[in-house]
Amino acid sequence: MINRMKFLGILIVGMLFVVSCKKDDKISVSVERVTLSKTSLELEEGKTAELTAIVFPKEASNKAISWASSNQAVAIVDENGKVTAVKEGNATIVVTTEDGKKTAKCEVTVIAKQIPVESVTLSKKNLELEESETAELTTVILPKNASNKAVFWESSNQTVATVDENGKVTAIKEGNATIVVTTEDGKKTAKCEVTIVAKQIPVESVTLNRKNLELEESETVELTATVLPENASNKAIFWESSNQAVATVDENGKVTAVKLGNAIITATTKDGNKTTTCEVTVLDLSDLLNNGFTDSRDNAHYKVVKIGNQVWMAENLKYLPSVVGAGTGSKTEAYYYVYGYDGTDVAAAKQTNNYKTYGVLYNWTAAMNGAASSDANPSGVQGVCPTGWHLPSDIEWTKLTNHLGGENVAGGKLKEKETTHWDDPNIGATNESGFTALPGGSRGRNGSFSYVGNIGNWWSSTQFLSSNALGRYLGHYYARVNGNLVTKDNGFSVRCVRD
């Protein structure tokens, strides 16, 4: 019995030994490879990131690993795979298995620490530009060391103003627009209100309708300034007199004669300070009005009359440089006629009663003497008139008739009284104006003289279309003044107006 028990004990011990030996002889599994959770990484200075290593196969017997950085001045890694960015640059983080020395890498880029944008402002909050003009807007981004200062620009109304990627604003057309700049970092914004005004056309020159002016004391004349180009943006004019004791001028160019003497009226443009002048002489016209004047060209003497503020010759002009008969005519060449005379002898023509009474008949070309048509007041056309006198424009004739009460009655006030020269009946004739209009007739376009005693005709400096001109005529059957629109080859009388 005792021996059996011993045997069983020995058997049990033997079996335990066998089992123990099998446990110690378990098979070892080798590492085949290792990977990382990231193969590349970008970090700001001071930031960290965790890398995770995965060892294959999962049942590998020894999964121990180690970590290393290729450049610890740029990035370091601890035993758990925690990467810390040190300074800007590049480094490679390498994980290595203890079993088999298998490796995996992560390329790390460390960037400078990002300083966020806090605000942006513009160099101008408001901007006014002319059409087609440009201006540069500049930005100020804070803090100054902000990492990303990139901005983008936009206009609220690109039909009015555009802006490019550099902040250059271009004015397109009149109106308003808002230019907005926005930072890429933080979407901070700033605005500039832009007003576009019409393109300014600069003044190039200014002229006056009169270069010289002779006035009586207390007489007034309106000067007219012409600013060029016609579409100049600012046509404002400043007026001044060199001697206000002699003549003054108001803001509208109205000159008032104060006392005898001389003064210079200057008109100056506000834009460009362009100037022009008119020499004013204030004189006593009593001598001229009482004694008339003599034309230095032929020594013909003329009476004058003042009607309103116009001084007119009280006789028809007699200047006769050449003469032809009524059968010779032209709309473009100058011709001179004496009513009823059919020759070319100037001296003989001047001996006729019609010349002495009614003066000379001129076609419009002769009356204008090469000047261009004018409807200004005064006309500025000397034409065939003596120096210091001019051919009246249509407007100047109208001014005369208006002063005498209008065209319906002015004719009677202009005509010589009675029937010494006018045919009967000389309706309404009073000559209260002193103009002493006479019925000098005309040279008609049909090549004949007609209507002496019946009608008086006078030219103006104003043409109508290319072949016609305006004038005035009076008749013995009515007291009105009539407008005349006739071809330029007619022969009419001329009355001159003092400059």
Side-chain angles (χ1 to χ4, degrees):
M1 186 68 176
I2 295 173
N3 289 334
R4 183 179 294 177
M5 292 295 290
K6 285 182 180 180
F7 176 78
L8 286 172
I10 293 169
L11 180 61
I12 289 170
V13 171
M15 291 177 66
L16 289 173
F17 176 80
V18 171
V19 170
S20 174
C21 287
K22 285 184 179 181
K23 282 184 180 180
D24 291 342
D25 292 341
K26 184 177 180 180
I27 298 172
S28 177
V29 178
S30 300
V31 171
E32 296 176 1
R33 61 189 176 91
V34 62
T35 62
L36 287 174
S37 52
K38 293 182 179 180
T39 58
S40 63
L41 189 62
E42 183 177 277
L43 293 175
E44 287 183 20
E45 293 172 346
K47 295 294 180 73
T48 62
E50 294 282 348
L51 291 177
T52 301
I54 303 172
V55 178
F56 293 94
K58 292 181 179 179
E59 61 273 17
S61 300
N62 183 2
K63 292 185 177 183
I65 56 176
S66 62
W67 297 87
S69 170
S70 67
N71 190 344
Q72 295 193 50
V74 171
I76 58 175
V77 61
D78 67 10
E79 67 277 8
N80 298 310
K82 180 180 178 180
V83 179
T84 300
V86 178
K87 73 172 186 178
E88 191 174 8
N90 296 284
T92 302
I93 302 299
V94 181
V95 63
T96 304
T97 62
E98 186 178 276
D99 178 17
K101 305 300 180 183
K102 306 297 182 181
T103 61
K105 298 177 181 180
C106 175
E107 301 296 334
V108 177
T109 301
V110 178
I111 59 176
K113 183 176 179 64
Q114 297 300 292
I115 308 298
V117 170
E118 296 176 4
S119 67
V120 61
T121 56
L122 286 174
S123 52
K124 293 182 179 179
K125 291 184 177 180
N126 297 280
L127 187 62
E128 182 175 286
L129 298 174
E130 288 182 18
E131 291 171 344
S132 302
E133 196 175 0
T134 62
E136 294 280 349
L137 291 177
T138 57
T139 60
V140 176
I141 295 175
L142 295 178
K144 291 182 178 180
N145 61 342
S147 301
N148 182 1
K149 292 187 176 183
V151 296
F152 56 89
W153 300 83
E154 61 181 336
S155 168
S156 67
N157 191 345
Q158 296 195 51
T159 62
V160 171
T162 61
V163 61
D164 68 10
E165 67 276 8
N166 300 310
K168 180 180 179 180
V169 180
T170 301
I172 305 298
K173 71 174 185 179
E174 193 172 6
N176 297 284
T178 302
I179 302 300
V180 181
V181 64
T182 303
T183 63
E184 186 177 272
D185 176 21
K187 306 302 180 187
K188 308 296 183 181
T189 62
K191 298 178 180 180
C192 176
E193 300 297 334
V194 178
T195 301
I196 308 303
V197 297
K199 186 174 181 63
Q200 298 299 293
I201 309 299
V203 169
E204 295 176 3
S205 66
V206 59
T207 56
L208 290 175
N209 60 327
R210 302 287 290 273
K211 291 184 177 181
N212 299 280
L213 199 57
E214 291 183 347
L215 301 174
E216 289 186 277
E217 288 181 359
S218 302
E219 191 177 358
T220 62
V221 170
E222 193 91 25
L223 290 176
T224 302
T226 300
V227 176
L228 293 179
E230 291 184 359
N231 62 340
S233 301
N234 183 358
K235 292 187 174 183
I237 298 286
F238 297 118
W239 299 87
E240 62 179 337
S241 169
S242 66
N243 191 343
Q244 295 194 49
V246 171
T248 61
V249 61
D250 69 11
E251 67 277 8
N252 300 310
K254 181 180 179 181
V255 179
T256 301
V258 179
K259 71 174 185 179
L260 300 183
N262 297 284
I264 296 175
I265 302 301
T266 302
T268 304
T269 62
K270 185 175 183 180
D271 176 22
N273 292 318
K274 308 296 183 180
T275 62
T276 185
T277 60
C278 174
E279 295 185 9
V280 177
T281 301
V282 180
L283 43 73
D284 183 357
L285 288 179
S286 59
D287 180 64
L288 176 66
L289 296 174
N290 291 332
N291 301 311
F293 77 99
T294 299
D295 185 348
S296 61
R297 297 174 296 180
D298 56 7
N299 292 319
H301 190 79
Y302 297 96
K303 296 176 182 179
V304 301
V305 61
K306 186 176 181 184
I307 305 173
N309 63 2
Q310 295 174 309
V311 176
W312 290 78
M313 290 171 51
E315 304 175 52
N316 290 343
L317 187 64
K318 295 179 179 179
Y319 179 62
L320 187 65
S322 64
V323 66
V324 293
T328 302
S330 173
K331 295 177 182 178
T332 57
E333 292 186 37
Y335 286 116
Y336 308 83
Y337 310 93
V338 173
Y339 193 96
Y341 181 76
D342 197 28
T344 58
D345 187 334
V346 171
K350 286 184 176 183
Q351 293 303 312
T352 64
N353 287 331
N354 283 335
Y355 172 81
K356 294 175 183 178
T357 303
Y358 302 113
V360 177
L361 299 174
Y362 305 85
N363 70 358
W364 192 74
T365 302
M368 293 293 287
N369 194 29
S373 170
S374 170
D375 197 26
N377 180 22
S379 71
V381 175
Q382 180 179 343
V384 75
C385 295
T387 301
W389 297 76
H390 64 272
L391 190 66
S393 66
D394 185 66
I395 287 179
E396 288 178 281
W397 277 108
T398 300
K399 182 177 180 179
L400 173 65
T401 55
N402 286 345
H403 178 77
L404 296 175
E407 61 184 12
N408 287 330
V409 298
K413 298 176 182 180
L414 292 169
K415 290 190 295 181
E416 180 191 55
K417 293 189 296 183
E418 302 174 348
T419 56
T420 302
H421 299 102
W422 286 94
D423 289 346
D424 188 43
N426 189 12
I427 293 175
T430 66
N431 197 30
E432 65 181 75
S433 67
F435 190 83
T436 315
L438 296 177
S442 64
R443 180 268 175 189
R445 61 181 303 185
N446 61 356
S448 64
F449 296 114
S450 56
Y451 303 116
V452 72
N454 293 156
I455 293 175
N457 297 274
W458 293 270
W459 283 119
S460 81
S461 64
T462 308
Q463 76 173 6
F464 185 83
L465 302 178
S466 61
S467 60
N468 298 296
L470 300 176
R472 295 293 187 277
Y473 72 92
L474 306 175
H476 72 116
Y477 268 114
Y478 33 79
R480 65 180 284 114
V481 175
N482 298 279
N484 234 349
L485 173 58
V486 293
T487 55
K488 296 176 180 178
D489 52 356
N490 281 273
F492 286 176
S493 300
V494 164
R495 286 289 181 101
C496 300
V497 183
R498 188 170 173 275
D499 290 345

PDB file of all heavy atoms in Angstrom, residues 200-207 225-236 269 271 274:
ATOM      1  N   GLN A 200     -13.345 117.711 -64.751  1.00  0.00           N
ATOM      2  CA  GLN A 200     -13.216 119.156 -64.825  1.00  0.00           C
ATOM      3  C   GLN A 200     -12.513 119.569 -66.119  1.00  0.00           C
ATOM      4  O   GLN A 200     -11.403 119.115 -66.406  1.00  0.00           O
ATOM      5  CB  GLN A 200     -12.432 119.680 -63.619  1.00  0.00           C
ATOM      6  CG  GLN A 200     -13.112 119.405 -62.282  1.00  0.00           C
ATOM      7  CD  GLN A 200     -14.480 120.060 -62.189  1.00  0.00           C
ATOM      8  OE1 GLN A 200     -14.584 121.284 -62.168  1.00  0.00           O
ATOM      9  NE2 GLN A 200     -15.516 119.249 -62.128  1.00  0.00           N
ATOM     10  N   ILE A 201     -13.202 120.400 -66.904  1.00  0.00           N
ATOM     11  CA  ILE A 201     -12.628 120.916 -68.148  1.00  0.00           C
ATOM     12  C   ILE A 201     -12.024 122.283 -67.837  1.00  0.00           C
ATOM     13  O   ILE A 201     -12.735 123.229 -67.499  1.00  0.00           O
ATOM     14  CB  ILE A 201     -13.697 121.060 -69.244  1.00  0.00           C
ATOM     15  CG1 ILE A 201     -14.490 119.749 -69.400  1.00  0.00           C
ATOM     16  CG2 ILE A 201     -13.047 121.484 -70.549  1.00  0.00           C
ATOM     17  CD1 ILE A 201     -13.674 118.567 -69.801  1.00  0.00           C
ATOM     18  N   PRO A 202     -10.713 122.432 -67.942  1.00  0.00           N
ATOM     19  CA  PRO A 202     -10.072 123.694 -67.549  1.00  0.00           C
ATOM     20  C   PRO A 202     -10.346 124.814 -68.542  1.00  0.00           C
ATOM     21  O   PRO A 202     -10.521 124.580 -69.743  1.00  0.00           O
ATOM     22  CB  PRO A 202      -8.579 123.339 -67.510  1.00  0.00           C
ATOM     23  CG  PRO A 202      -8.446 122.202 -68.466  1.00  0.00           C
ATOM     24  CD  PRO A 202      -9.721 121.418 -68.367  1.00  0.00           C
ATOM     25  N   VAL A 203     -10.361 126.023 -68.021  1.00  0.00           N
ATOM     26  CA  VAL A 203     -10.501 127.213 -68.867  1.00  0.00           C
ATOM     27  C   VAL A 203      -9.197 127.437 -69.629  1.00  0.00           C
ATOM     28  O   VAL A 203      -8.110 127.349 -69.062  1.00  0.00           O
ATOM     29  CB  VAL A 203     -10.840 128.451 -68.009  1.00  0.00           C
ATOM     30  CG1 VAL A 203     -10.734 129.730 -68.833  1.00  0.00           C
ATOM     31  CG2 VAL A 203     -12.238 128.318 -67.415  1.00  0.00           C
ATOM     32  N   GLU A 204      -9.322 127.737 -70.919  1.00  0.00           N
ATOM     33  CA  GLU A 204      -8.146 128.003 -71.745  1.00  0.00           C
ATOM     34  C   GLU A 204      -7.977 129.488 -72.049  1.00  0.00           C
ATOM     35  O   GLU A 204      -6.848 129.975 -72.148  1.00  0.00           O
ATOM     36  CB  GLU A 204      -8.239 127.209 -73.053  1.00  0.00           C
ATOM     37  CG  GLU A 204      -8.201 125.687 -72.844  1.00  0.00           C
ATOM     38  CD  GLU A 204      -8.401 124.929 -74.134  1.00  0.00           C
ATOM     39  OE1 GLU A 204      -8.504 125.578 -75.199  1.00  0.00           O
ATOM     40  OE2 GLU A 204      -8.474 123.695 -74.082  1.00  0.00           O
ATOM     41  N   SER A 205      -9.098 130.200 -72.193  1.00  0.00           N
ATOM     42  CA  SER A 205      -8.991 131.621 -72.530  1.00  0.00           C
ATOM     43  C   SER A 205     -10.289 132.340 -72.201  1.00  0.00           C
ATOM     44  O   SER A 205     -11.333 131.715 -72.008  1.00  0.00           O
ATOM     45  CB  SER A 205      -8.678 131.797 -74.023  1.00  0.00           C
ATOM     46  OG  SER A 205      -9.769 131.355 -74.813  1.00  0.00           O
ATOM     47  N   VAL A 206     -10.202 133.672 -72.141  1.00  0.00           N
ATOM     48  CA  VAL A 206     -11.384 134.511 -71.952  1.00  0.00           C
ATOM     49  C   VAL A 206     -11.209 135.768 -72.802  1.00  0.00           C
ATOM     50  O   VAL A 206     -10.099 136.307 -72.912  1.00  0.00           O
ATOM     51  CB  VAL A 206     -11.586 134.877 -70.467  1.00  0.00           C
ATOM     52  CG1 VAL A 206     -10.398 135.628 -69.895  1.00  0.00           C
ATOM     53  CG2 VAL A 206     -12.882 135.688 -70.278  1.00  0.00           C
ATOM     54  N   THR A 207     -12.289 136.195 -73.429  1.00  0.00           N
ATOM     55  CA  THR A 207     -12.276 137.423 -74.225  1.00  0.00           C
ATOM     56  C   THR A 207     -13.503 138.245 -73.872  1.00  0.00           C
ATOM     57  O   THR A 207     -14.496 137.716 -73.343  1.00  0.00           O
ATOM     58  CB  THR A 207     -12.277 137.124 -75.738  1.00  0.00           C
ATOM     59  OG1 THR A 207     -13.422 136.305 -76.040  1.00  0.00           O
ATOM     60  CG2 THR A 207     -11.010 136.401 -76.154  1.00  0.00           C
ATOM     61  N   ALA A 225     -18.278 138.477 -71.234  1.00  0.00           N
ATOM     62  CA  ALA A 225     -17.058 137.655 -71.292  1.00  0.00           C
ATOM     63  C   ALA A 225     -17.379 136.318 -71.949  1.00  0.00           C
ATOM     64  O   ALA A 225     -18.398 135.695 -71.646  1.00  0.00           O
ATOM     65  CB  ALA A 225     -16.491 137.433 -69.903  1.00  0.00           C
ATOM     66  N   THR A 226     -16.512 135.897 -72.851  1.00  0.00           N
ATOM     67  CA  THR A 226     -16.642 134.579 -73.491  1.00  0.00           C
ATOM     68  C   THR A 226     -15.495 133.701 -73.014  1.00  0.00           C
ATOM     69  O   THR A 226     -14.326 134.003 -73.257  1.00  0.00           O
ATOM     70  CB  THR A 226     -16.610 134.693 -75.023  1.00  0.00           C
ATOM     71  OG1 THR A 226     -17.693 135.527 -75.451  1.00  0.00           O
ATOM     72  CG2 THR A 226     -16.743 133.320 -75.665  1.00  0.00           C
ATOM     73  N   VAL A 227     -15.853 132.628 -72.305  1.00  0.00           N
ATOM     74  CA  VAL A 227     -14.859 131.699 -71.759  1.00  0.00           C
ATOM     75  C   VAL A 227     -14.777 130.480 -72.667  1.00  0.00           C
ATOM     76  O   VAL A 227     -15.802 129.906 -73.041  1.00  0.00           O
ATOM     77  CB  VAL A 227     -15.236 131.281 -70.322  1.00  0.00           C
ATOM     78  CG1 VAL A 227     -14.254 130.242 -69.789  1.00  0.00           C
ATOM     79  CG2 VAL A 227     -15.276 132.499 -69.405  1.00  0.00           C
ATOM     80  N   LEU A 228     -13.561 130.099 -73.020  1.00  0.00           N
ATOM     81  CA  LEU A 228     -13.342 128.914 -73.855  1.00  0.00           C
ATOM     82  C   LEU A 228     -12.479 127.908 -73.116  1.00  0.00           C
ATOM     83  O   LEU A 228     -11.617 128.295 -72.321  1.00  0.00           O
ATOM     84  CB  LEU A 228     -12.675 129.306 -75.170  1.00  0.00           C
ATOM     85  CG  LEU A 228     -13.513 130.162 -76.118  1.00  0.00           C
ATOM     86  CD1 LEU A 228     -12.714 130.506 -77.365  1.00  0.00           C
ATOM     87  CD2 LEU A 228     -14.813 129.474 -76.505  1.00  0.00           C
ATOM     88  N   PRO A 229     -12.714 126.587 -73.364  1.00  0.00           N
ATOM     89  CA  PRO A 229     -13.722 126.054 -74.271  1.00  0.00           C
ATOM     90  C   PRO A 229     -15.134 126.248 -73.736  1.00  0.00           C
ATOM     91  O   PRO A 229     -15.319 126.535 -72.553  1.00  0.00           O
ATOM     92  CB  PRO A 229     -13.367 124.567 -74.350  1.00  0.00           C
ATOM     93  CG  PRO A 229     -12.704 124.276 -73.048  1.00  0.00           C
ATOM     94  CD  PRO A 229     -11.940 125.532 -72.687  1.00  0.00           C
ATOM     95  N   GLU A 230     -16.120 126.071 -74.612  1.00  0.00           N
ATOM     96  CA  GLU A 230     -17.507 126.310 -74.220  1.00  0.00           C
ATOM     97  C   GLU A 230     -17.946 125.388 -73.085  1.00  0.00           C
ATOM     98  O   GLU A 230     -18.812 125.751 -72.296  1.00  0.00           O
ATOM     99  CB  GLU A 230     -18.433 126.130 -75.427  1.00  0.00           C
ATOM    100  CG  GLU A 230     -18.264 127.216 -76.485  1.00  0.00           C
ATOM    101  CD  GLU A 230     -19.268 127.068 -77.610  1.00  0.00           C
ATOM    102  OE1 GLU A 230     -20.079 126.125 -77.573  1.00  0.00           O
ATOM    103  OE2 GLU A 230     -19.240 127.908 -78.543  1.00  0.00           O
ATOM    104  N   ASN A 231     -17.353 124.178 -73.015  1.00  0.00           N
ATOM    105  CA  ASN A 231     -17.745 123.225 -71.973  1.00  0.00           C
ATOM    106  C   ASN A 231     -16.832 123.275 -70.749  1.00  0.00           C
ATOM    107  O   ASN A 231     -16.783 122.323 -69.956  1.00  0.00           O
ATOM    108  CB  ASN A 231     -17.770 121.808 -72.533  1.00  0.00           C
ATOM    109  CG  ASN A 231     -16.409 121.332 -73.021  1.00  0.00           C
ATOM    110  OD1 ASN A 231     -15.525 122.137 -73.285  1.00  0.00           O
ATOM    111  ND2 ASN A 231     -16.237 120.032 -73.145  1.00  0.00           N
ATOM    112  N   ALA A 232     -16.110 124.386 -70.579  1.00  0.00           N
ATOM    113  CA  ALA A 232     -15.274 124.542 -69.382  1.00  0.00           C
ATOM    114  C   ALA A 232     -16.134 124.369 -68.130  1.00  0.00           C
ATOM    115  O   ALA A 232     -17.262 124.862 -68.069  1.00  0.00           O
ATOM    116  CB  ALA A 232     -14.602 125.903 -69.386  1.00  0.00           C
ATOM    117  N   SER A 233     -15.593 123.682 -67.150  1.00  0.00           N
ATOM    118  CA  SER A 233     -16.377 123.351 -65.956  1.00  0.00           C
ATOM    119  C   SER A 233     -16.696 124.568 -65.108  1.00  0.00           C
ATOM    120  O   SER A 233     -17.793 124.696 -64.566  1.00  0.00           O
ATOM    121  CB  SER A 233     -15.618 122.317 -65.119  1.00  0.00           C
ATOM    122  OG  SER A 233     -15.386 121.149 -65.868  1.00  0.00           O
ATOM    123  N   ASN A 234     -15.747 125.457 -64.965  1.00  0.00           N
ATOM    124  CA  ASN A 234     -15.943 126.619 -64.091  1.00  0.00           C
ATOM    125  C   ASN A 234     -15.717 127.899 -64.892  1.00  0.00           C
ATOM    126  O   ASN A 234     -14.603 128.282 -65.188  1.00  0.00           O
ATOM    127  CB  ASN A 234     -14.971 126.551 -62.910  1.00  0.00           C
ATOM    128  CG  ASN A 234     -15.175 127.689 -61.925  1.00  0.00           C
ATOM    129  OD1 ASN A 234     -16.029 128.564 -62.126  1.00  0.00           O
ATOM    130  ND2 ASN A 234     -14.424 127.681 -60.843  1.00  0.00           N
ATOM    131  N   LYS A 235     -16.830 128.567 -65.228  1.00  0.00           N
ATOM    132  CA  LYS A 235     -16.751 129.780 -66.044  1.00  0.00           C
ATOM    133  C   LYS A 235     -16.878 131.052 -65.200  1.00  0.00           C
ATOM    134  O   LYS A 235     -17.126 132.130 -65.741  1.00  0.00           O
ATOM    135  CB  LYS A 235     -17.829 129.764 -67.117  1.00  0.00           C
ATOM    136  CG  LYS A 235     -17.622 128.706 -68.194  1.00  0.00           C
ATOM    137  CD  LYS A 235     -18.640 128.862 -69.306  1.00  0.00           C
ATOM    138  CE  LYS A 235     -18.371 127.912 -70.449  1.00  0.00           C
ATOM    139  NZ  LYS A 235     -19.320 128.114 -71.572  1.00  0.00           N
ATOM    140  N   ALA A 236     -16.708 130.914 -63.910  1.00  0.00           N
ATOM    141  CA  ALA A 236     -16.848 132.081 -63.031  1.00  0.00           C
ATOM    142  C   ALA A 236     -15.817 133.152 -63.388  1.00  0.00           C
ATOM    143  O   ALA A 236     -14.667 132.850 -63.701  1.00  0.00           O
ATOM    144  CB  ALA A 236     -16.684 131.659 -61.574  1.00  0.00           C
ATOM    145  N   THR A 269     -10.703 134.885 -64.972  1.00  0.00           N
ATOM    146  CA  THR A 269     -11.407 133.630 -64.710  1.00  0.00           C
ATOM    147  C   THR A 269     -10.969 133.061 -63.360  1.00  0.00           C
ATOM    148  O   THR A 269      -9.793 133.143 -62.993  1.00  0.00           O
ATOM    149  CB  THR A 269     -11.130 132.580 -65.800  1.00  0.00           C
ATOM    150  OG1 THR A 269      -9.726 132.270 -65.825  1.00  0.00           O
ATOM    151  CG2 THR A 269     -11.558 133.096 -67.163  1.00  0.00           C
ATOM    152  N   ASP A 271     -11.018 129.909 -62.657  1.00  0.00           N
ATOM    153  CA  ASP A 271     -10.214 128.740 -63.018  1.00  0.00           C
ATOM    154  C   ASP A 271      -9.098 129.180 -63.947  1.00  0.00           C
ATOM    155  O   ASP A 271      -9.339 129.622 -65.066  1.00  0.00           O
ATOM    156  CB  ASP A 271     -11.094 127.701 -63.708  1.00  0.00           C
ATOM    157  CG  ASP A 271     -10.304 126.504 -64.204  1.00  0.00           C
ATOM    158  OD1 ASP A 271      -9.206 126.256 -63.683  1.00  0.00           O
ATOM    159  OD2 ASP A 271     -10.783 125.815 -65.126  1.00  0.00           O
ATOM    160  N   LYS A 274      -7.130 133.318 -66.106  1.00  0.00           N
ATOM    161  CA  LYS A 274      -6.997 133.901 -67.438  1.00  0.00           C
ATOM    162  C   LYS A 274      -7.619 135.292 -67.410  1.00  0.00           C
ATOM    163  O   LYS A 274      -8.644 135.516 -66.762  1.00  0.00           O
ATOM    164  CB  LYS A 274      -7.696 133.043 -68.493  1.00  0.00           C
ATOM    165  CG  LYS A 274      -7.305 131.569 -68.477  1.00  0.00           C
ATOM    166  CD  LYS A 274      -5.847 131.361 -68.816  1.00  0.00           C
ATOM    167  CE  LYS A 274      -5.510 129.868 -68.857  1.00  0.00           C
ATOM    168  NZ  LYS A 274      -4.098 129.623 -69.176  1.00  0.00           N
TER     169      LYS A 274
END
